[in-house]
Amino acid sequence: MTILDGKKVSNDIKDEIAEHVKSMVSKGEKVPHLAAILVGSDGASMTYVNAKVKACERIGFNSTLVELPEYTSEEELLEKINDLNTDPNIDGFIVQLPLPDQIDEQKILMAIEPDKDVDGFHPTNVGRMALDLPTFLPATPYGIMELLERYQVETSGKNVVVMGRSHIVGRPMSILMSQKRKAGDATVTVVHSRSKNLKEVTKSADIIVAAIGISEFLTGDMVKEDVVVIDVGITRIPDQTKKNGYRLAGDVEFESVSKKASYITPVPGGVGPMTIAMLLKNTLLSRERHNNK
Ligand code: GUN
């Protein structure tokens, strides 16, 4: 069994980007600038956004964190988005999800200028992805594709089961892996909360991408020998033996599934760090596109 070490691979990618930034600086070019908007003080969201900002500092990007209170109105958030859309110093930005109930998520995502949408969530960019056109790929699916590619996991002609149909992970993942591309060319099945005979489907999978948001849902009896398992889930489980009072669990029961798997991502240290690395990669791409305009 091989651990798909997202932490290591993401560090390699960050090193590659840092080198690139150094050469930009030496040529007197502008370095990439990423902004993140965080609404409210959800613990997990704060952790993710801070990790994104810290990663920017490490590789030499400029970063801006816009923190807004929980009670921010949709209008106020749209104003902030407009500021970033029109600020020539910002190459790309994200609005961390989820948003408070008073804000319509779709309306927000549609207000982001596609050209700065480094999360790849705008309908224009989702459409471009589906049509195989140059775009910003959403960071988590992009990170999974990169991880599979760097570990040379064969995907062509394989049965891939994507568990979950979210706009951020499941849906784009299923599209990307069925496309003619590196880490693609697979036969993809999407399962979700209404799917029947789940175990039958997962047992036939060569590769499983678990993104359903239910901790330790996929167990050893649901997979075949030598399966490749990508665990996208990350949930805080109360645990009084830990200093911070919780442990992190994925959507996969690591203990039982890892005994059968040929490759598996750990939680933490698998998909999570890859998401950040690919967001940085998209921001670099955005900077280069702006340079060439
Ligand atoms: N919330 C969970 N994942 C993501 C992500 O990739 N981007 C944003 N903006 N919010 C998220």
Side-chain angles (χ1 to χ4, degrees):
M1 187 267 293
T2 303
I3 294 279
L4 295 168
D5 188 343
K7 189 151 186 217
K8 181 194 172 291
V9 174
S10 70
N11 280 330
D12 292 347
I13 294 169
K14 282 189 259 184
D15 289 345
E16 290 160 21
I17 301 174
E19 277 304 308
H20 202 116
V21 172
K22 259 195 216 159
S23 90
M24 289 173 124
V25 172
S26 70
K27 285 187 245 163
E29 293 173 6
K30 259 166 97 171
V31 300
H33 189 159
L34 174 71
I37 304 181
L38 174 65
V39 185
S41 50
D42 173 70
S45 289
M46 281 167 77
T47 308
Y48 300 145
V49 170
N50 285 330
K52 289 169 185 176
V53 170
K54 219 170 99 194
C56 283
E57 283 165 15
R58 192 194 128 185
I59 61 169
F61 282 13
N62 289 326
S63 64
T64 298
L65 173 59
V66 180
E67 289 180 280
L68 301 173
E70 183 77 29
Y71 54 79
T72 300
S73 69
E74 193 173 276
E75 209 166 87
E76 286 166 325
L77 181 54
L78 286 169
E79 257 171 50
K80 201 71 231 175
I81 288 172
N82 186 51
D83 291 347
L84 296 175
N85 278 342
T86 51
D87 183 342
N89 288 316
I90 301 288
D91 295 299
F93 68 97
I94 64 157
V95 178
Q96 187 65 28
L97 305 177
L99 290 167
D101 290 344
Q102 73 275 17
I103 299 174
D104 178 347
E105 196 170 287
Q106 274 309 320
K107 206 162 163 186
I108 295 305
L109 297 180
M110 285 178 73
I112 299 172
E113 177 61 44
D115 172 65
K116 293 191 176 186
D117 170 38
V118 283
D119 255 336
F121 293 166
H122 189 283
T124 296
N125 287 328
V126 178
R128 294 183 66 89
M129 175 198 65
L131 295 172
D132 263 329
L133 295 168
T135 184
F136 298 115
L137 294 181
T140 301
Y142 190 11
I144 295 169
M145 302 297 280
E146 190 74 20
L147 201 54
L148 290 169
E149 192 185 324
R150 291 199 184 213
Y151 275 90
Q152 297 179 324
V153 174
E154 183 61 76
T155 57
S156 177
K158 300 292 181 189
N159 286 330
V160 173
V161 171
V162 175
M163 304 176 75
R165 52 184 165 183
S166 71
H167 293 166
I168 298 186
V169 185
R171 183 70 60 204
M173 204 60 231
S174 65
I175 294 170
L176 290 168
M177 291 202 76
S178 69
Q179 285 176 333
K180 202 187 273 289
R181 59 160 68 236
K182 282 183 189 158
D185 286 326
T187 306
V188 180
T189 305
V190 179
V191 295
H192 46 75
S193 54
R194 296 285 179 273
S195 296
K196 298 212 164 72
N197 306 326
L198 195 61
K199 191 166 160 181
E200 216 171 273
V201 181
T202 54
K203 271 230 159 197
S204 73
D206 301 310
I207 301 171
I208 299 177
V209 179
I212 36 171
I214 304 173
S215 63
E216 295 171 342
F217 181 85
L218 187 78
T219 48
D221 59 314
M222 295 170 74
V223 303
K224 69 176 182 186
E225 285 293 335
D226 292 332
V227 64
V228 176
V229 178
I230 307 292
D231 189 350
V232 184
I234 187 153
T235 319
R236 292 179 178 191
I237 310 262
D239 185 341
Q240 291 320 313
T241 68
K242 302 279 182 211
K243 212 165 62 190
N244 50 14
Y246 65 85
R247 69 181 172 91
L248 293 173
D251 288 355
V252 175
E253 191 186 64
F254 188 86
E255 171 78 16
S256 59
V257 175
S258 62
K259 289 198 174 95
K260 287 174 127 180
S262 54
Y263 294 90
I264 188 166
T265 60
V267 175
V271 172
M274 289 301 294
T275 297
I276 297 181
M278 303 326 274
L279 174 68
L280 300 171
K281 214 164 162 147
N282 277 344
T283 308
L284 175 63
L285 174 66
S286 188
R287 175 85 286 274
E288 288 178 330
R289 283 190 189 157
H290 289 143
N291 253 352
N292 295 331
K293 267 195 179 165

